[in-house]
Structure formats: C-alpha cells, structure tokens
Amino acid sequence: MRLLTHNLLASNVKGAKTGFPLKIHVFVQEEHETAFNKAFLLATLRKINWIAFREAADSLGVPNLPELPPDLDKCDDSMLRKYHHALMEVHVKEGYLICPDTGRRFPITKGIPNMLLNEDEVC
Amino acid sequence: MGWYLCYFLHRHLDFRREELQALADMAGCGADIKWREPHGGVDHSPFWRVYIPTEELAVEVCRRSVLTRALIEVWGEGDTQEELNAAVKAFPDERKDPYIAEGTTFKVCVEDFGKTEHGTEKNPWSHVVARIDALKPVLQFRGRARMKGPQHLFWSIESANADDLKGVPSDIPPRRYFGRVVATGDRSPLSKYDLKKRRYLGPTSMDVEMGLIMCNMIQARPGGVVWDPFCGTGSLLINAAHFGAFTMGSDIDIRVIKWGKKDKRTGQNVDVWTNFEDYGLEPPVGLLRMDLHKHSWTALAHVEGTLQGVVGDPPYGVRAGGRKSGGRKRGTDGAVKPVPEEHRENHIPSTAPYPFSECMDDLMDTSARLLAMGGRLAFFIPAAADPEDAAAAGVDSVPSHPALKLRASSVQLLSGRWGRRLVTFEKVKPYDAAIAKAARETLRERRKTEGGVEDLLERMREIVYQPRGGDGPGVDEDGNAKPRRKRGTGPSGGKFTPTPSKPEAAAALRAAGGGGGGGGSDGGSGGGEVGAMHRAHSAVGVKMDKAKRPEFRGKNT
C-alpha cells in the first residue's frame, strides 16, 4: 500500500465518525522506484488531504514534510521529487491501519490492507 | 481530405466504431468524427468510412485500437479491376505523386477480406506483383520497394465473392480497394498478455482482447488512476497499466488478490504482484480487500475526482456470484452474534448474496463520486440476444446516474440466447449526494413496477432458462408454451438451490453453449441451472461450436 491509497481510505466500522485519517503501524516497508510524472503529481498534491499525508509519511520514517500544504507553484523539482517519493515510492508491506475513532485494526499483509468488516461491525 | 476507409477486424462487430469513437474523444477530435455506411449498406461490413480532420489525428486515434486494422486513404475502388483502375487514375495526381516519386521507399501488401491469396513457391510475392501489375496502366511506383520499414505503405484489398466465403455472412458485396495506409491499429498486446502464458489466472479472468477494448473505452492513459472494484487476479488492471495508467484494484475475495498460488514449474508463489513484475508494468498503486457495498473510501470531499477511470466485470455469473458484507449469523434472540475476542484477528466474516441491481447501483454511485470530470466508467451487464425477449423482461434497460452520461453500449453474444453488454459512461456533472440518492430511489421503484422483479439478474435468468417454444421442454402436452417462471413461484422459491433434474436446466446448458453434461456436476451449492450459468459466463473468449451460436455473425479466428 502506498500513501496515495492511504489518503483515500477511511474506517467505516460501526461507531467511527469520519474514520479518517487511518493511523499506520508498520512492520515491514519497502521502496520501489516509480517513474516521476510531474503533471500527475501536481494534480494529486492539489487534491490530497495534506495533514493525513504528512502524518502518514512521518510514521513511515519519511519526515520533514512541511506542516501546511506547500505552494506548489513555487516548488522546485527536488522538493516535488521528495513528495513523489513519499506518495508513490514507499510501500507498506506488513502492518496495520488503525481507525482513529475506535482503534479497530485493519491488517496489511503482502501490501494489501484488509478493509472488510466483521458481521458485528457493519453499520 | 479527411475521409478514410476504416478497415476493421471482423470481430466484436458491435464494439468497433464505439472503440474508435472513444479513442477519438481522447484525442480531442470526438465531435469531428463522422461515419459513412460501408459499400452496399451492410452494417456489419468491415469497410466503414470515417472522417478524421487531419492525418496526425488519424494516427493518434488509431494507434492503440484493437479492432481497427488500418485507416486508409483510398486512391480508388470498384467492383472490377477496370473500375478500380479508372478510379485510381481519377484520383488527383498531386495527392499521389509525393508517395510514388523517385527516392521514396514503398511496400504494397495484399490484405483481402474473406479469402487468402498466396504467391507461388518460386516467387512468394507473385500475387502482390500481380496486383501492382494490374494497376500499372494508371499507377507507376518510381520509388524503391522495401519490405522492412518503408516510408509509404499501400494496401490492395479485395473482399471476396460470396462463393469464396467460409462461415462469413455472404451479404458483404465483393469490392476492390487500393490506397495508402495512414494509420494501423495495434494487436501486439494480445500476444504479449496472452492468458495462456500468464502465471497467475482466475476462472473469470477477462480475455485480453476485450480487456484492452474496455480500457480503450475508459481511455486509460498515463497520469490517470484506474480502479477495478472486482479486480480478482487483476487482468483488467494489467490492460490499464499497459496503456500507462496507475491502477488500483479491490475485491471482496481475499483468495484471489492476496493468496495467489504456486507456480507449477518453479514452485514460486505467484499473485497479482508477480504478474505485473513478469510484464515489467508499474505495480498497482493499491490493492485492497474491500466490499463495494460497504466500501472504505473516505466520505471526505478530497476523494472526489481522484480517478480517471473505473473498469470492471461485475459478478453476474454464479461461480463468481456477487457477495457483500453483512451475512450475519444471528442468535436465537435475532441479534448479530458478536465475534469472540480471541478470534477477531483471523476471523473470516460471512457475506450475503449481492443482488446484481444493487451492485450495479453501488458501482455507478461510487464511480460518480470518485471519478474526475470527464472520467469514464465501463462495465458489463447481462444482455438478452433477442430484442423481444429483452424488451419483455426489461433487461435491455441500462443503468443510469444523474452525474453520468451513457457514451456507448455494445453487445457481445455468448450464445443464441444471451450475451453481455458493455456500457460506458462519462462523468459530466459534479457529484451531488442528495440528487444521487433521490435518483437511485426512483430507479429502484421503476425496476419494481416495470418488471415485477427488482433484480436485473433474476430477470436475465428467466430468459436464459426459459426454453424456446416448440423446443421440447417448455411446451406442455397440449403444445402450449409454459408460462415464464416468476420469481418465488419456482420450486426453489427463487433461490439458487440445486435442481439438477429440471429439463429447463439441460436446455439452458445447450443454449448457453456450455457443452455436454447435465446439471448437478458442480457439486455443493452449484448444479443444474447454476452450473449452466457459470459455464456460460466462463465461456467468454472460448471458441464455441459454430452450430451452438447461430446468431453470431462473424468469423472468430
């Protein structure tokens, strides 16, 4: 799971309010190079929830992202590549996503989060 | 200028113009596209005429088409060689000269329809030379012939006389064409992604050709994210990634996306990830075990407009029948039994059947929210072959959503009785939750009142399993057709319980082209009609016996 995906996911367990952003607990993470597509990156960075992105990057040991969404028109390529790396190149292989409201843990195995709810958790 | 002979493959007849139109839309010239009927006015002829404003755009539109052989600037055509030559002569010299002048290189190919000519053993090119010689009185190539990498490519096309055709409808009139190839389609991915060579496959993996067509319909391209909510072994994701899109896949069934299986030869564990690796494609941005009905996309606004495309083959078979969260085991007091604390971690939640109409509405609504403006959604729904059947059961109605506009709708017949329809939508309005909810309620009400049965798949089953009149079963002793079985009135009360001895099931098996064998061979909950349905579903891309697909109008090779 990459942080782009993480930015779109929420917990929908019974009792959760927004269920967003999910906290990440990592056991295994990997890095894979991904082609840098500037237009795609800029469009994506304009849309994503920056706070969730920054917190998630932090928990994966990719720190020093700015506190607030940067002015993308003023970003140079080296900054953009840093965001690209955090968003697209860091993969969570094994770990948990944790619901911020209820603490429900969604296991990530082989890079695939299991977002399915148990029978008694469906609202 | 601008009018080209659009020489299609004689396959997936209903999809050919739709595919090219989608590619033209993507190239930004969709509104300029005009079509002219083929010679003889035969709709399924492969020789359509298309108007594309410029040659550059023609190349751009055609280059990833799966069903277009070539776009050709016609220099002449006719019923006879004399007519053809007269036409070539009349074609303006200033448009011919640059391509046949000294110093150019060229190649002429014979690309006939409905017949194959070969050269002699001594001279394998003799048939090509004969075509060039026949044109000599009106056209002399002054450049040099080059077999590899010529500057200019010419096709000599003859569509055969009715007598020469083998299994192809004979109502396409014989005709001769000669012209310059401006653009060609690309079928090379078909062998590259050949399912037979793929290491990780599922029983309902989408055949490569149709998968590529679907990804053309949604205009999958670099810089866009494509989501498949029923991704299974990821076959559609591979096609989308081939076109350069980032991919995202989800499935409720963990077995297919995560577990994978062992490669028989190497003993290595293969799964969706290794498939992408094998092809050297960018791996999916995300694979998720997720339920479309109770999906986990955040309700926050920033998720809207994330996707460029959604593509899927929803489960309307029975082997891969739809499931959703919430199959709740209830205690004696009617309450959902809580999952014991010690088992929570590895608990596999039970699921409930997922009515197809509900699944369709969920797919439409979630896509409408997640797609960017102009983004596209394409998926299959079951379709009846006979328009009367379809109208009677209301299954010809396609789904709708206030934010989505229907762009294309094409049927692929899988048997004489039924097939599947690919519907393509484009997001044309921003998503509005209140409007969407109201529209969905209206749609549900309409389904109930119009067909008496809310679920489209239920109605489809009636068509598939209702034997044709006079066909033995389905006709009572007095020769009157038995009434169509209504939901809840059958022996099984509308549920999928085994009915292996039913004559209808056997008839359905025949109709579905699923091959021999009675019902009940699938064991467990399958069997009878269930078996027929799933075999028909998995017959996609499988060459079926010609006699069993009487209404298929093309050659399938």
Side-chain angles (χ1 to χ4, degrees):
Chain A
M1 187 206 63
R2 312 189 212 190
L3 291 195
L4 172 60
T5 311
H6 168 264
N7 212 270
L8 306 172
L9 290 177
S11 156
N12 56 356
V13 72
K14 201 195 271 180
K17 287 190 265 317
T18 62
F20 185 89
L22 294 158
K23 290 189 172 56
I24 307 178
H25 186 81
V26 194
F27 299 141
V28 183
Q29 73 184 62
E30 285 175 6
E31 286 177 17
H32 295 289
E33 203 178 311
T34 295
F36 178 67
N37 181 332
K38 193 170 171 179
F40 168 76
L41 183 74
L42 286 173
T44 309
L45 289 178
R46 287 204 168 89
K47 284 188 47 56
I48 59 169
N49 183 308
W50 187 267
I51 309 292
F53 174 48
R54 180 175 50 77
E55 281 177 12
D58 228 27
S59 61
L60 297 185
V62 189
N64 302 330
L65 294 188
E67 200 71 25
L68 291 169
D71 184 352
L72 292 169
D73 298 326
K74 287 181 188 148
C75 280
D76 56 13
D77 267 20
S78 73
M79 275 315 280
L80 288 177
R81 278 186 187 275
K82 201 167 126 186
Y83 302 148
H84 167 74
H85 174 73
L87 194 67
M88 303 297 290
E89 297 189 324
V90 183
H91 297 238
V92 181
K93 280 287 172 199
E94 307 284 332
Y96 285 108
L97 293 172
I98 302 160
C99 173
D101 302 327
T102 64
R104 158 67 145 106
R105 296 193 296 178
F106 300 91
I108 305 170
T109 35
K110 281 193 177 181
I112 303 170
N114 179 357
M115 303 307 294
L116 222 54
L117 301 175
N118 290 329
E119 306 69 328
D120 54 353
E121 296 170 328
V122 181
C123 22
Chain B
M1 276 296 256
W3 279 100
Y4 301 100
L5 176 69
C6 186
Y7 187 6
F8 285 121
L9 274 104
H10 209 48
R11 298 175 56 75
H12 300 310
L13 308 180
D14 215 19
F15 294 72
R16 304 184 296 186
R17 275 179 292 152
E18 308 268 31
E19 188 204 33
L20 210 68
Q21 181 68 51
L23 293 172
D25 290 338
M26 184 168 70
C29 61
D32 302 319
I33 297 293
K34 289 192 276 269
W35 293 97
R36 225 159 52 194
E37 266 202 337
H39 176 70
V42 183
D43 193 71
H44 62 259
S45 160
F47 300 108
W48 278 78
R49 302 300 181 120
V50 65
Y51 176 85
I52 303 175
T54 68
E55 206 164 307
E56 289 74 32
L57 280 169
V59 173
E60 174 70 18
V61 168
C62 192
R63 71 185 166 82
R64 49 182 261 193
S65 170
V66 178
L67 295 175
T68 312
R69 299 190 62 181
L71 298 178
I72 295 159
E73 178 187 72
V74 177
W75 287 12
E77 63 172 290
D79 289 341
T80 62
Q81 187 67 39
E82 289 71 43
E83 271 183 46
L84 173 64
N85 282 11
V88 170
K89 192 171 184 209
F91 193 73
D93 283 337
E94 65 270 21
R95 293 181 60 188
K96 289 185 287 196
D97 284 342
Y99 304 100
I100 56 173
E102 254 171 80
T104 59
T105 57
F106 73 96
K107 179 181 181 180
V108 176
C109 291
V110 171
E111 296 287 347
D112 292 344
F113 174 71
K115 63 170 182 170
T116 318
E117 276 184 17
H118 300 284
T120 57
E121 207 171 306
K122 226 170 165 185
N123 180 4
W125 304 105
S126 60
H127 62 301
V128 183
V129 173
R131 294 280 174 95
I132 297 173
D133 284 347
L135 280 166
K136 222 160 213 168
V138 291
L139 189 71
Q140 292 91 38
F141 290 97
R142 295 188 293 276
R144 278 186 32 218
R146 179 176 286 176
M147 292 299 108
K148 276 185 186 161
Q151 287 173 318
H152 308 301
L153 180 63
F154 299 87
W155 276 13
S156 168
I157 303 162
E158 288 182 13
S159 77
N161 280 313
D163 301 347
D164 297 325
L165 297 171
K166 294 187 185 86
V168 182
S170 57
D171 50 354
I172 297 167
R175 190 82 171 163
R176 290 160 195 248
Y177 304 88
F178 183 83
R180 180 172 63 89
V181 174
V182 167
T184 51
D186 183 13
R187 289 178 70 80
S188 64
L190 267 74
S191 52
K192 182 179 176 192
Y193 301 106
D194 189 353
L195 291 185
K196 280 181 237 155
K197 291 182 249 163
R198 194 174 297 173
R199 293 204 293 165
Y200 183 50
L201 270 182
T204 55
S205 289
M206 180 61 63
D207 70 277
V208 181
E209 182 177 30
M210 189 51 82
L212 291 165
I213 294 169
M214 291 169 83
C215 288
N216 274 335
M217 294 310 293
I218 60 157
Q219 307 170 335
R221 58 181 180 268
V225 181
V226 170
W227 173 45
D228 178 358
F230 317 100
C231 74
T233 56
S235 49
L236 281 171
L237 299 181
I238 284 171
N239 295 324
H242 165 73
F243 290 129
F246 288 117
T247 54
M248 216 174 264
S250 61
D251 205 304
I252 194 169
D253 190 340
I254 197 70
R255 288 171 302 178
V256 281
I257 56 169
K258 195 171 78 182
W259 290 355
K261 62 181 180 194
K262 270 216 160 62
D263 187 324
K264 276 184 201 132
R265 245 175 352 155
T266 62
Q268 187 198 348
N269 197 63
V270 291
D271 52 25
V272 180
W273 303 114
T274 60
N275 271 350
F276 275 79
E277 242 170 65
D278 289 349
Y279 293 126
L281 295 169
E282 170 72 24
V285 171
L287 287 178
L288 304 162
R289 187 188 187 192
M290 188 168 89
D291 178 10
L292 175 64
H293 185 61
K294 292 274 176 200
H295 64 77
S296 309
W297 302 119
T298 169
L300 300 182
H302 74 272
V303 81
E304 288 185 37
T306 302
L307 301 175
Q308 181 256 307
V310 181
V311 67
D313 188 18
Y316 52 82
V318 168
R319 165 152 47 173
R323 308 295 295 176
K324 63 174 179 179
S325 293
R328 304 159 188 210
K329 293 183 187 113
R330 287 176 191 277
T332 42
D333 57 347
V336 181
K337 272 197 275 183
V339 180
E341 212 48 51
E342 64 273 26
H343 292 147
R344 291 204 83 85
E345 197 81 331
N346 294 315
H347 178 71
I348 296 172
S350 58
T351 51
Y354 196 6
F356 184 70
S357 294
E358 189 179 14
C359 169
M360 210 162 61
D361 289 349
D362 285 342
L363 177 60
M364 295 281 285
D365 195 61
T366 312
S367 302
R369 194 160 79 84
L370 264 63
L371 279 173
M373 289 293 280
R376 285 182 170 223
L377 157 71
F379 62 100
F380 273 110
I381 56 175
D386 184 348
E388 276 182 29
D389 259 3
V395 290
D396 54 348
S397 59
V398 293
S400 65
H401 191 283
L404 301 173
K405 187 171 187 231
L406 185 69
R407 280 288 179 211
S409 164
S410 327
V411 173
Q412 176 190 21
L413 291 182
L414 300 172
S415 81
R417 186 65 69 82
W418 74 296
R420 53 182 185 173
R421 179 189 296 277
L422 183 70
V423 287
T424 307
F425 294 89
E426 182 182 330
K427 181 165 171 177
V428 292
K429 280 189 196 137
Y431 182 79
D432 182 312
I435 294 175
K437 197 173 169 214
R440 185 168 177 159
E441 281 308 313
T442 317
L443 201 63
R444 274 180 56 177
E445 284 306 312
R446 222 181 65 204
R447 283 203 198 103
K448 270 186 202 157
T449 50
E450 276 179 12
V453 185
E454 196 196 328
D455 191 30
L456 179 95
L457 190 59
E458 287 283 328
R459 293 194 223 162
M460 196 61 216
R461 285 209 171 90
E462 288 178 7
I463 288 174
V464 173
Y465 301 124
Q466 188 213 356
R468 290 205 192 284
D471 202 10
V475 179
D476 64 23
E477 288 89 348
D478 301 319
N480 300 319
K482 284 179 187 167
R484 184 169 285 171
R485 187 154 51 83
K486 282 281 186 293
R487 184 192 194 191
T489 59
S492 60
K495 285 202 186 111
F496 316 136
T497 44
T499 51
S501 60
K502 285 187 74 66
E504 284 101 317
L509 254 181
R510 285 198 300 276
S521 58
D522 296 279
S525 62
E529 52 192 297
V530 173
M533 197 73 181
H534 98 220
R535 239 165 269 148
H537 186 86
S538 63
V540 177
V542 176
K543 215 170 160 187
M544 285 184 281
D545 190 64
K546 274 209 179 88
K548 286 176 183 163
R549 34 160 216 199
E551 288 173 40
F552 187 73
R553 296 182 304 184
K555 66 176 180 184
N556 195 18
T557 49

